[in-house]
Amino acid sequence: KPDGATIDPLTGRIDWTPTEDQGPGNYLFIVRATENTPAHLSDARNFSVRVAEQNLAPTLAPIDDIAAKDGDAIGFNATATDADRPAQKLTYALLDGAPAAASIDPQTGAFSWRVPVDAPAGTNVISIRVTDDGPGTLADTKTFKVVVTPRFRVVVNEIQYRAKPAGGEFIELFNTSSNTTFQLGGLVLAGSNLRFTFPAGTSLPPRQFVCVAANQPAFRTARSEEHTSELQSHLNLVCRLLLEKK
């Protein structure tokens, strides 16, 4: 009898639940009935049971959401299990909607994506599917998110500390991003002779400038004398006088 098969000696009821390892296959049963007499006469019959293969869907392990900065390289291995025996081939794939540069190795499940430099803030929803090669090509899918936060790309572009006329000193900041507007409210410019806090609601759009001046009238005079042609030829140069330095 196959492993796991049982028979009730009084009623003759046979019970057997084939395991995954026992299918597919043919199994021979021989049943003997013996009378309870001194002669112990008996008779036997045999029959066969064919166990068909039942394909079980693979199971893809859950994938945690990922927090990333623009320019980060993301990599991990998606893992899946399949209870079918003999073992089936599992194939991994990204579903539509994944970032264009994202990829996954179809055999190993190795996922990789480098978030584009200067990518704007956003949530990327990515779905991975694993498929077996058994009857019906069953599959499982898991979805995760990559939440991208832009790196702060505002830099000090120019410092004028010996201005003519006197009092025209300024600090100029530049947003190097082409995609992200940065909020400056609450940020502090501090130095040995300077402390300036940007007012709430101050923002700096992509590829734009902002100036913090020591004295607004002096700054206007110095800036107009030094950069009149530059201001006329570069439309993306926008200096906003926020507050005089105290």
Side-chain angles (χ1 to χ4, degrees), residues 135-197:
T137 56
L138 302 181
D140 187 25
T141 301
K142 291 294 186 294
T143 298
F144 66 101
K145 299 175 183 177
V146 177
V147 181
V148 175
T149 301
R151 298 180 188 275
F152 190 68
R153 297 187 180 278
V154 176
V155 299
V156 175
N157 189 63
E158 183 178 355
I159 298 176
Q160 176 60 271
Y161 63 96
R162 290 182 179 176
K164 292 183 180 180
E169 296 87 353
F170 67 89
I171 296 176
E172 180 183 83
L173 304 182
F174 176 52
N175 181 359
T176 63
S177 173
S178 296
N179 300 300
T180 302
T181 295
F182 291 101
Q183 301 302 316
L184 304 184
L187 295 182
V188 177
L189 290 176
S192 59
N193 191 33
L194 167 69
R195 183 173 183 82
F196 175 81
T197 302

